[in-house]
Amino acid sequence: MMLTSSAAGLLAAAVLALGSVVVVVDATVVTTCRAAADRDGRVDYGFCVAELGKHHDSPGADAWGLAKVAALTGVVDADNAVYDVRDMLARAAAGRDVAAALGRCKELYGAAGFAFAEAHDDINGRDYAAGKGKAADAASLARRCDAAFARDAAVPPVIAQHSSYASKIAIICTAITNLIE
């Protein structure tokens, strides 16, 4: 898709308001997220623009670079999930079942972080099928964390947020990778 210089300039100056934070988003992020969302209805366009737009490697990156950025943001969020679980375990006065589920989640998010890192490496090496598979594996590992909680123990909201993030970013990584195949 060719953009006129004025259209590219307007897109480059696109501003996405997130609460009280304003983020200036690069034209390539906007157009790539739009193309990914148009091709795959599971892509959350606003989430794609917001998350990829704030990464330092995004400005000027092509679809290949943005697919790798998506995988890297998955790594970072999985690492954050591990830290959140550690904090929850350290201050938990929860029962044995919840502590066991949190321990399992710590392992699963550690593995999810590695899976996202492998997705990045595979995409970087232009093995797109393997990269998409690793991104899907990472999202699956996050969902397994949610499932680790007993029927009578609710998934803590912070864990549910990480699970949602992993799923959304894996979909974005896959959809953008599909644009470059």
Side-chain angles (χ1 to χ4, degrees):
M1 174 167 92
M2 289 288 283
L3 294 175
T4 65
S5 61
S6 61
L10 286 173
L11 282 173
V15 176
L16 178 65
L18 300 170
S20 62
V21 177
V22 176
V23 178
V24 177
V25 179
D26 181 70
T28 307
V29 171
V30 171
T31 57
T32 302
C33 287
R34 173 51 50 212
D38 287 348
R39 184 179 252 190
D40 185 337
R42 300 172 304 152
V43 172
D44 181 334
Y45 170 76
F47 179 83
C48 180
V49 171
E51 291 305 304
L52 299 187
K54 65 185 175 185
H55 194 277
H56 63 85
D57 288 338
S58 291
D62 59 6
W64 180 62
L66 291 173
K68 295 186 297 181
V69 166
L72 289 175
T73 62
V75 171
V76 170
D77 191 70
D79 287 346
N80 288 339
V82 170
Y83 289 117
D84 287 343
V85 168
R86 283 184 189 159
D87 287 346
M88 293 168 69
L89 281 167
R91 59 187 154 95
R96 180 174 281 177
D97 289 344
V98 172
L102 288 171
R104 181 73 177 130
C105 284
K106 183 178 161 191
E107 293 170 8
L108 290 166
Y109 273 105
F114 282 117
F116 273 123
E118 289 173 338
H120 172 274
D121 291 347
D122 288 338
I123 293 166
N124 189 50
R126 300 193 186 272
D127 185 351
Y128 303 128
K132 293 186 296 186
K134 291 297 183 180
D137 290 347
S140 176
L141 289 162
R143 285 190 299 274
R144 286 174 49 198
C145 169
D146 289 355
F149 287 87
R151 293 179 198 254
D152 57 340
V155 177
V158 70
I159 299 299
Q161 288 171 347
H162 288 296
S163 298
S164 174
Y165 190 100
S167 178
K168 287 179 182 181
I169 207 68
I171 289 168
I172 289 166
C173 181
T174 297
I176 293 174
T177 302
N178 285 336
L179 296 174
I180 55 179
E181 287 191 304

